[in-house]
Amino acid sequence: MILCCINIRARSSSAGTAATAAFGTPIQVAIDGPAASGKSSTAQLVAARLGFSYIDSGALSAAFITLKALNSNPTRRKTGPPLSGPPTSPSRPSTSRPILARLARFARRPNCFSTQGRDAGHSLTSRTRHVSEIAAIPAVRSALLVLKRRLASEANVVMDGRDIGTSVFPDAKVKVYLDASPEVRARRRLAELMGAGQGNSVQMGLEEMVAELRARDLADTQRKESPLRCAEDAVRLDTSAMTQAEVVERIVRLVEEKVLARPQ
Ligand SMILES: Nc1ncnc2c1ncn2[C@@H]1O[C@H](COP(=O)(O)OP(=O)(O)O)[C@@H](O)[C@H]1O
Ligand SMILES: Nc1ccn([C@H]2C[C@H](O)[C@@H](COP(=O)(O)OP(=O)(O)O)O2)c(=O)n1
């Protein structure tokens, strides 16, 4: 399963339309934070409430990297590429254009990818580790930046990732930084893996998952290119003791206050 993990809902609602009308240009809601802080599931719910499109930038990165690997090594096409190493020439930008065009075509189809298929074939933890490494390569980042901005120029979006509020959309009208303690995030991730039927293949206990997440946090915050950090103008939410419904409500209210309630 390669591209099924992109989930973009290109639809509008009265809230979405009113918001665009108020600003004249599409609106970006940026949601950043560490792994398993709740970004993608919360961002999807927020987007659905607002009638905005949802863009999972981690999934976009994974799909981009997979397509690039396929392009670099066509013999892998039939079986699907194991994400066991970086694509052959990540620094050569020439193959990026057709890949971006293909991704953009897929991504514009409403609801054509669903997060339900996320990670079929690869465990969540191993996929994200590789994506993390490869997404830090400057040429990969700049190609993805073009795609993210292009998609966001077409509709109001909620986009989640690591550097959306800091690098991708530094002028986003609403920025949220979701966080939670490593223990809480590890419990959430393990529950998610069990729910996704990966329980048998995931032998990790809580401590190991905490260590895995801490290692990812370190890699994401210490990397040179667009490290994970809370933007100065972001609203920081520690969700350790919040239900997901509370988090969604808080963000929707924030958008309403900052964007939808603005006088025209
Ligand atoms: N506030 C919350 N309380 C409890 N569980 C949550 C909360 N937010 C998200 N979750 C759950 O935690 C898991 C990880 O969330 P996810 O959105 O995939 O995180 P991220 O995109 O940051 O890695 C999912 O199973 C999700 O349903
Ligand atoms: N905007 C983004 C999104 C993800 N990444 C990298 C860093 C992350 O560790 C990996 C995986 O991201 P993904 O959102 O799929 O993973 P989580 O659900 O947050 O665990 O990709 C990034 O560098 N920039």
Side-chain angles (χ1 to χ4, degrees), residues 39 57 118 127 131-132 141 162 189 216 220 223:
K39 300 179 301 295
S57 76
R118 192 171 158 145
R127 184 204 84 181
V131 172
S132 208
R141 293 211 77 77
R162 296 295 186 289
R189 189 58 101 214
R216 295 258 321 272
D220 289 344
R223 72 185 186 199

Side-chain angles (χ1 to χ4, degrees), residues 19-241:
T20 315
F23 278 97
T25 53
I27 292 152
Q28 297 103 30
V29 177
I31 301 185
D32 290 301
S37 55
K39 300 179 301 295
S40 53
S41 52
T42 306
Q44 269 184 78
L45 293 167
V46 169
R49 279 276 298 276
L50 294 169
F52 287 16
S53 299
Y54 164 62
I55 300 177
D56 177 340
S57 76
L60 205 57
S61 309
F64 172 88
I65 289 159
T66 306
L67 275 177
K68 193 160 171 64
L70 281 170
N71 257 31
S72 308
N73 188 352
T75 56
R76 286 181 177 176
R77 276 185 190 140
K78 280 186 188 147
T79 50
L83 284 179
S84 55
T88 31
S89 306
S91 57
R92 211 181 46 204
S94 57
T95 52
S96 299
R97 230 174 264 146
I99 292 172
L100 285 184
R102 243 174 105 186
L103 263 182
R105 262 202 313 277
F106 279 118
R108 284 194 192 96
R109 286 189 222 153
N111 290 329
C112 66
F113 306 116
S114 128
T115 46
Q116 282 161 15
R118 192 171 158 145
D119 281 324
H122 304 290
S123 84
L124 193 60
T125 45
S126 79
R127 184 204 84 181
T128 48
R129 208 179 298 136
H130 292 300
V131 172
S132 208
E133 271 166 34
I134 298 165
I137 296 168
V140 174
R141 293 211 77 77
S142 55
L144 283 166
L145 188 67
V146 171
L147 178 60
K148 287 172 198 167
R149 289 186 177 158
R150 193 195 301 166
L151 291 169
S153 69
E154 297 168 355
N156 297 330
V157 296
V158 180
M159 191 180 293
D160 79 294
R162 296 295 186 289
D163 59 343
I164 311 304
T166 51
S167 305
V168 182
F169 300 119
D171 298 326
K173 298 282 180 287
V174 182
K175 297 182 189 177
V176 177
Y177 187 90
L178 290 186
D179 208 348
S181 72
E183 288 72 21
V184 167
R185 288 188 282 132
R187 282 184 207 286
R188 287 178 187 170
R189 189 58 101 214
L190 285 172
E192 184 185 15
L193 292 171
M194 297 301 285
Q198 290 187 17
N200 292 337
S201 59
V202 178
Q203 305 293 333
M204 264 187 205
L206 183 65
E207 269 180 35
E208 214 179 327
M209 183 57 90
V210 168
E212 162 88 25
L213 289 175
R214 284 190 197 277
R216 295 258 321 272
D217 291 352
L218 200 67
D220 289 344
T221 54
Q222 301 299 306
R223 72 185 186 199
K224 260 200 187 143
E225 292 288 326
S226 311
L228 167 68
R229 64 180 177 80
C230 179
E232 275 172 19
D233 51 349
V235 172
R236 189 180 197 123
L237 287 182
D238 184 336
T239 70
S240 302

